[in-house]
Amino acid sequence: MGGGQAMTPDEQDLVMGLAFVPGVGRTRTLDEVLAHFGESDGGALALRLLRDAMERRDADDVEMALIVKAAAGAPAEEFLEPLTELFPAEWHREHEDIVSTLGKLRSPKTVPTLVLATHWVPEHLDWDENRALAVKAIWALGGIPGPEAWEALEGLRDAENEIIRENAVKQLARRGEL
């Protein structure tokens, strides 16, 4: 795998074994996955898999890359640029995971992407009347220090959607800025 080729079904099964399943646990170790792909660093492997999947616009392999990232406990900072680039693409289904990862960074650099997540609903989430993606983004904004996040939250206080308004107000109050 690599060099522009999609993961095989066996490789996807191997990576899926890293995902925790309640009552089962994990069926594979990170060392097994690293050995298969000829890597020694899980973060480096996840980043390589992510960039490759983005280049090929392969939604399944994006998911696999994010599973490797999580299993490796790879620092989110290294993923800032590719994830902000990937977020607005309609061809994948990882928008909520991307917002969660960006939220962990607590970086003003993530504010534009998080604000986009409060307004835009990807087609695959169109059914969600509770606006979980927007709520995750608002809570992520609430955890980011500085004026950029505050301004974004202030701007959301007047949103048409009640869920967005209420969550923006909660985050401003939590920050002590209401």
Side-chain angles (χ1 to χ4, degrees):
M1 151 79 235
Q5 295 178 348
M7 281 189 191
T8 66
D10 286 344
E11 287 172 330
Q12 289 181 345
D13 286 345
L14 178 67
V15 170
M16 287 299 292
L18 293 173
F20 183 83
V21 177
V24 177
R26 291 178 178 84
T27 59
R28 296 296 188 159
T29 67
L30 182 60
D31 287 340
E32 289 176 282
V33 172
L34 291 173
H36 174 81
F37 287 101
E39 288 277 355
S40 60
D41 179 337
L45 174 60
L47 203 50
R48 177 171 62 89
L49 293 174
L50 180 61
R51 287 195 169 122
D52 187 52
M54 288 172 64
E55 187 175 308
R56 291 181 293 100
R57 296 174 59 125
D58 187 321
D60 292 335
D61 284 2
V62 165
E63 180 182 3
M64 297 303 113
L66 294 178
I67 290 171
V68 172
K69 180 207 167 299
E77 293 83 15
E78 297 173 26
F79 292 82
L80 174 67
E81 184 182 316
L83 291 179
T84 54
E85 179 185 330
L86 178 61
F87 178 78
E90 279 275 4
W91 55 263
H92 67 88
R93 305 169 301 277
E94 303 304 318
H95 300 92
E96 290 186 69
D97 285 343
I98 291 171
V99 165
S100 294
T101 300
L102 294 177
K104 291 175 187 166
L105 288 173
R106 297 175 44 101
S107 168
K109 292 178 183 176
T110 65
V111 170
T113 302
L114 294 171
V115 169
L116 174 60
T118 68
H119 299 293
W120 175 64
V121 179
E123 191 174 308
H124 72 100
L125 295 175
D126 200 29
W127 57 270
D128 182 10
E129 293 176 13
N130 294 317
R131 300 292 309 273
L133 178 64
V135 171
K136 283 182 182 183
I138 292 166
W139 281 76
L141 287 166
I144 298 171
E148 296 92 343
W150 175 81
E151 288 173 15
L153 290 167
E154 274 292 320
L156 294 171
R157 286 177 71 172
D158 299 324
E160 276 186 42
N161 183 289
E162 181 180 352
I163 293 169
I164 292 173
R165 275 194 320 271
E166 288 176 0
N167 278 279
V169 168
K170 284 179 188 175
Q171 288 306 305
L172 286 164
R174 188 174 70 83
R175 291 167 61 107
E177 296 174 337
L178 192 59

